Amino acid sequence: MTRSAAPKQQRRTQEQRSSEMRTRLLDATIDCLVEYGYAGTTTPRVAERAGVTRGAQVHHFGSKTDLVVAAISHLAQLRAETAMREMSKIESVEDPVGAALDSLWELHQGPLFIATVELWVAGRTDRVLASAMEKVEPFVNNAVLMAVARFVPDEMQRKEARDFVYTAMDALRGILVSNFVDPDPERAHRRWRRASVHLREIATAALAAHRRVDKSE
């Protein structure tokens, strides 16, 4: 009986190997930002976390600044992809405003948000990091806006919906950042639920105003 030959695994190109190495280093940088903070994120730690030699790390990223700036773009891509992926899981909702607020809470949980906060704070005194963050934040925010927009009632105009989402994110991020001082996830969630009551009032008032205008026309 003749055995069929096992398919040969296609060899990776040098470009593919290089890309995979860079991704490992960038993922490891995000892990280090979460575990050690920005100050404690060093190139030796990143290389160790990625499982590569220091020489390989230096070959791809010559300095900590080079590494972190590249990680900022990588992190932004992950944040945007997460926003779109998580929102796509929800097919239909009876309470669109509630769904939008709940989804914003979920999007701001986990290591991606923690790493982002570390970079926001570091950027206060580091213009290179601040410039890199300034370039990618609109990209991430647009992804969140697009993802949340599907829950916003049709009666709300686009600008009002955008303002509502930004206001909600500002409130949520403030709650979560202040929670870093004395971590208590339950307390943070209670504060977000309390803020959501007021945010609902804003959305309800905007919807009511539009309905009154529609009836008068």
Side-chain angles (χ1 to χ4, degrees), residues 178-198:
S178 65
N179 194 58
F180 289 151
V181 177
D182 182 17
D184 184 342
E186 288 302 319
R187 180 181 59 206
H189 205 179
R190 286 197 305 271
R191 293 179 64 190
W192 172 239
R193 289 196 297 267
R194 184 177 63 205
S196 295
V197 172
H198 299 290

Side-chain angles (χ1 to χ4, degrees), residues 38 64-66 68-70 72 119 122-135:
Y38 176 75
K64 175 179 175 177
T65 298
D66 294 337
V68 175
V69 167
I72 286 172
L119 293 169
R124 187 184 73 82
T125 55
D126 189 321
R127 284 307 308 163
V128 174
L129 296 186
S131 178
M133 292 295 288
E134 185 179 9
K135 291 176 182 176

